[in-house]
Structures are given as C-alpha cells and as structure tokens.
Amino acid sequence: MDSAPVGEDAGCGPGGRASRKLASALSHMQRSSGMTIHDAAQQADLSPSYVSRILAGDRVPNWPVVHMLATIFGGRAQELRTLWESTQGVAYPARQDVHSAAQRLQDALRGLYLAASCPELAGVRGRGLTTQAAGEALRGEVVPDWPTTSALITWLGGHPADVRPLWEDIHYAFLTSHDVFPCGGLSRSLLPEPEAGDGPEPGDCSGAL
C-alpha cells in the first residue's frame, strides 16, 4: 500500500497551507537544534508562549522574527522566505533573471523539505521520481522539469499549483535565449553566468541529501 505524501495537509488555501508549512519547518529546525523553546525565546527576546504559538502554527510572525528564529536554530532563513511570503500573499517578482528564479524555486523546495522534517529520499521511489532526481533538485544542482518538480512537491505534502509560478519564471527566462527546456531538467551549471555580485549563497541543511 502506498504511503501518504510526506507532511500532507488538507489546507484551505495557499496562505493557510503556507502557514502550516512554515510552522512545521521552524519546528523541525528547533527539534534538530536541540534547543528548548525557553532558551530560543530568551535569545530572541520573545516570550516562550509566543515562540510556542509560532511553532504550533497559531501565529505567523513578521519576517525579522522568522529570520531570527531560523538563525538561532542553526538553519538557513532564506529557505523559509518563500513560505513566509506565501503566508502574507506576497506576489512574486515578475520575470526575474534566470538565476534569481532558479534560487527562489530551490528555496521553495527546500522549505517544503524542511516542513516535511527532511525525509529520507528513498521514500520517493514509486512516486514518479528517482532518489537522484529528488536529491539534485533539493541540492540545487538541477532545475527539474515540471513533471519532476510537481511529483517532488506532492511527495513533500505541498501543492504544485502554489509553486508553479516559480517554475514558470525559470521556464520563461530560459526560453528567452533557448529553443526548448530540456526534458528531465536543466543543470544549474548550464545557466548563463550572473553578473558579479549577483546570486544568493548555496543552500545548507543538506545532511540528508
């Protein structure tokens, strides 16, 4: 019998789903850090009850608080940025350069991976994915094609339609200088070089990958 997608939730809309995923990702960071809620609250200069409500998904804090908590837990805050923006109904920048678009997609996938408590990639077997394809996408080595991206999001308990605009931005940016997006995905190393000083830092939290 097939198991349910990792971290699946019913949700009532993109904002509500993102709120729960954000809370799950922060909770995973907190558990992985071994830090108590009381100690984290003390470092963040917040009340323990407020931090507890954030981790339970009862409150969605502003971005500086999310960034601070992720940092205190030893995580990479940028991997939660797309989830947080979705909770706020923030529209994604239209027609970004291909590197920025690829990084936003990777951060969105990593956020879902964290929200699912960083499951073993062996669990993707039988879901239209290979462990290699899932690992390459989560490590940011490859921009997967849409069927692979959709299958990965579904396995992580996300909703493909919520992330589709990010993938389409990459697709559009790539097609402005190429005839076709490669079936099976596109190696990030084949993307046009960004201008000096552009581009975010590579992702972390890759122990399970």
Side-chain angles (χ1 to χ4, degrees), residues 9-202:
D9 61 29
C12 57
R17 291 194 292 266
S19 296
R20 284 182 284 279
K21 295 298 183 187
L22 178 62
S24 295
L26 283 169
S27 293
H28 175 73
M29 286 182 171
Q30 183 259 325
R31 292 193 302 272
S32 298
S33 73
M35 182 174 292
T36 67
I37 290 176
H38 183 274
D39 287 344
Q42 189 172 45
Q43 287 195 37
D45 196 24
L46 299 169
S47 71
S49 62
Y50 180 56
V51 174
S52 181
R53 290 197 298 273
I54 291 172
L55 299 182
D58 296 331
R59 295 292 298 272
V60 177
N62 58 31
W63 174 245
V65 171
V66 173
H67 190 287
M68 179 167 50
L69 288 175
T71 302
I72 287 172
F73 296 146
R76 186 170 178 270
Q78 196 59 32
E79 293 178 346
L80 305 182
R81 180 78 191 194
T82 302
L83 283 176
W84 179 82
E85 288 178 348
S86 295
T87 70
Q88 306 299 306
V90 175
Y92 300 122
R95 302 312 181 200
Q96 308 166 78
D97 68 84
V98 69
H99 280 275
S100 297
Q103 188 60 47
R104 287 183 68 85
L105 176 64
Q106 185 196 353
D107 287 341
L109 294 176
R110 298 280 296 179
L112 290 173
Y113 181 65
L114 284 166
S117 299
C118 297
E120 293 290 335
L121 296 186
V124 304
R125 296 188 185 118
R127 296 190 171 276
L129 285 169
T130 64
T131 56
Q132 178 179 346
E136 288 174 343
L138 290 168
R139 290 190 297 269
E141 297 168 1
V142 169
V143 177
D145 58 18
W146 178 246
T148 300
T149 303
S150 178
L152 179 58
I153 293 167
T154 300
W155 175 64
L156 293 173
H159 291 249
D162 295 346
V163 183
R164 177 90 193 208
L166 298 178
W167 186 88
E168 288 182 343
D169 276 347
I170 302 171
H171 187 251
Y172 175 86
F174 184 77
L175 291 184
T176 58
S177 56
H178 299 75
D179 290 331
V180 64
F181 193 90
C183 179
L186 172 68
S187 171
R188 288 277 289 269
S189 65
L190 298 180
L191 296 179
E193 287 297 322
E195 297 181 5
D198 288 347
E201 299 177 358

